[in-house]
Amino acid sequence: MQSWPAPAVPRLPAGARAPLRLHDSAAGGPVDLAAAGGHADGTARLYVCGITPYDATHLGHAATYLAFDTLNRAWRDAGLSVLFVQNVTDIDDPLLERAERVGVDWTAIAERDTQLFRDDMTALRVLPPDHYIGAVEAMAEIAELVLTLRDRGAAYDLDGDLYFPVAGAAHFGEVSGLSREAMLALSAERGGDPERPGKKDPLDALLWRAERPGEPAWDSPVGRGRPGWHVECAAIALNRLGPTLDVQGGGSDLVFPHHEHSATEAEAATGVWPFARIYVHAGMVGLDGEKMSKSRGNLVFVSRTLAAGADPRALRLALLADHYRSDRMWVGEALERAGVRVAQWSAGVARPAGPSGEELLAAVRRAIADDLDTPAALAAVDAWCAADGTDSEAPALVRATVDALLGIDL
Ligand code: 5CA
Ligand code: ZN
């Protein structure tokens, strides 16, 4: 699929940097990626789960993609090349259900919302993936992975559908670390079918759904049908990033079953573990006391917020003002506060001189290296703007720092 245009990213001067530590859901704590064997060849491999294209892009989606954009920018600043892959779940039950409900063709909904997402990411200055891949266009490779799993005994037939048996997956449970009870509850809540009779284990996940009357289906070596959700991301990631990713990313609602299953299905095909060195999950953004979600319908859209006149820089800054891992409620005043901040920062970098720009750059790098602590990074820029100084090169350096590392073009 076509991605979206890349914003320019200024290069910053070299300088001492703290090693980047990220909270790993599997380890339950911070991990130094380089020490864990990451990007030894100078390339950081990032897979971030993309949208299911309906009801996009709400502020929860945007916050999650901004978290991974902060990581992408930090890696580039550290001199790494980043290989970034993202999918679009442009065929799945929720999309078909929506199409049925509103009486619009599912492909039209998917195309419209994928384009909206591209426009929103462009407005928010999110760096585009190198490979932006829809499930439909990846159908053959996904089916190929299902075939490999079947050949390796990691798939069984249930009335023509194929399932992945968790019983044979040595590392199943290591990504989320959840109890079986918790897994069963989440599986039912998040697209699984633990109640389906005939499964060897209720947690087994659908790999391939045989054609049903009235549903879209594709010819494949495993029969006519369409893929399950987890194997979609496993295939798209494996074929572009190889058997080991540095970071597998998404919102915390993807820890289980999605990332647990993607990882163990990938391992069953490649024999390589871990699938990702670090599993990074962003907190959930809510509205009025509840998680912002398509099913609840309590959504604030990026496109509507911008169409109503909001400055995209203020929206970006408002979403970066909280730590990415914190679950949080969206309040409209955050946008106003961020607008004030954009004005203060713009005035700050318009001064002929200010406090040391190099110190500010180091402080922002330090904050981001500490599990993407954007609130601390923003506070450092606030402090620089509030103080006087005689460094005449600082305003230009601070402007470049805010642009390259925080994505804000002052
Ligand atoms: N297509 C799948 C991933 S393969 C999917 O989950 N699509 S989605 O459209 O439902 O979500 C896209 C991304 O936004 C996921 O990473 C998801 O975890 C994240 N997300 C969804 N809702 C929220 C929310 N309220 N707050 C933060 N992130 C969210
Ligand atoms: Zn995914």
Side-chain angles (χ1 to χ4, degrees), residues 136-157:
V136 170
E137 68 180 335
M139 199 53 70
E141 61 180 278
I142 302 169
E144 192 63 34
L145 179 57
V146 176
L147 183 65
T148 303
L149 290 171
R150 198 180 65 182
D151 289 347
R152 292 186 143 226
Y156 66 90
D157 183 289

Side-chain angles (χ1 to χ4, degrees), residues 105 160 242 280 303-304 310:
D105 186 62
V280 178
S303 51
R304 284 195 207 152

Side-chain angles (χ1 to χ4, degrees), residues 12-96:
L12 298 172
R17 285 186 192 80
L20 177 67
R21 283 156 29 111
L22 292 168
H23 183 95
D24 175 21
S25 298
V31 170
D32 174 341
L33 184 57
H39 53 71
D41 61 354
T43 298
R45 293 172 175 76
L46 173 65
Y47 185 88
V48 179
C49 281
I51 54 163
T52 302
Y54 68 98
D55 281 351
T57 314
H58 64 60
L59 297 188
H61 299 140
T64 290
Y65 294 112
L66 285 172
F68 294 99
D69 191 54
T70 307
L71 172 60
N72 191 343
R73 288 168 180 273
W75 273 338
R76 286 166 188 245
D77 177 50
L80 295 168
S81 26
V82 181
L83 188 55
F84 174 24
V85 180
Q86 185 169 132
N87 70 309
V88 184
T89 308
D90 57 0
I91 179 68
D92 202 4
D93 293 347
L95 178 59
L96 295 177

Side-chain angles (χ1 to χ4, degrees), residues 141-205:
E141 61 180 278
I142 302 169
E144 192 63 34
L145 179 57
V146 176
L147 183 65
T148 303
L149 290 171
R150 198 180 65 182
D151 289 347
R152 292 186 143 226
Y156 66 90
D157 183 289
L158 180 57
D159 301 330
D161 299 333
L162 289 172
Y163 276 85
F164 177 75
V166 295
H171 298 282
F172 185 75
E174 289 188 13
V175 175
S176 65
L178 291 171
S179 68
R180 189 171 162 86
E181 291 66 41
M183 287 183 186
L184 284 166
L186 287 176
S187 164
E189 216 176 281
R190 298 177 180 164
D193 55 3
E195 305 290 337
R196 180 168 176 182
K199 287 171 68 172
K200 291 183 180 167
D201 186 307
L203 294 173
D204 293 348

Side-chain angles (χ1 to χ4, degrees), residues 5 33 78 118 167 223 232 240 252 268 317 324 358 367 400 409:
L33 184 57
R118 290 188 190 99
E232 165 194 337
R240 288 159 192 85
S252 59
L317 213 40
Y324 81 96
E358 277 164 25
D409 181 17

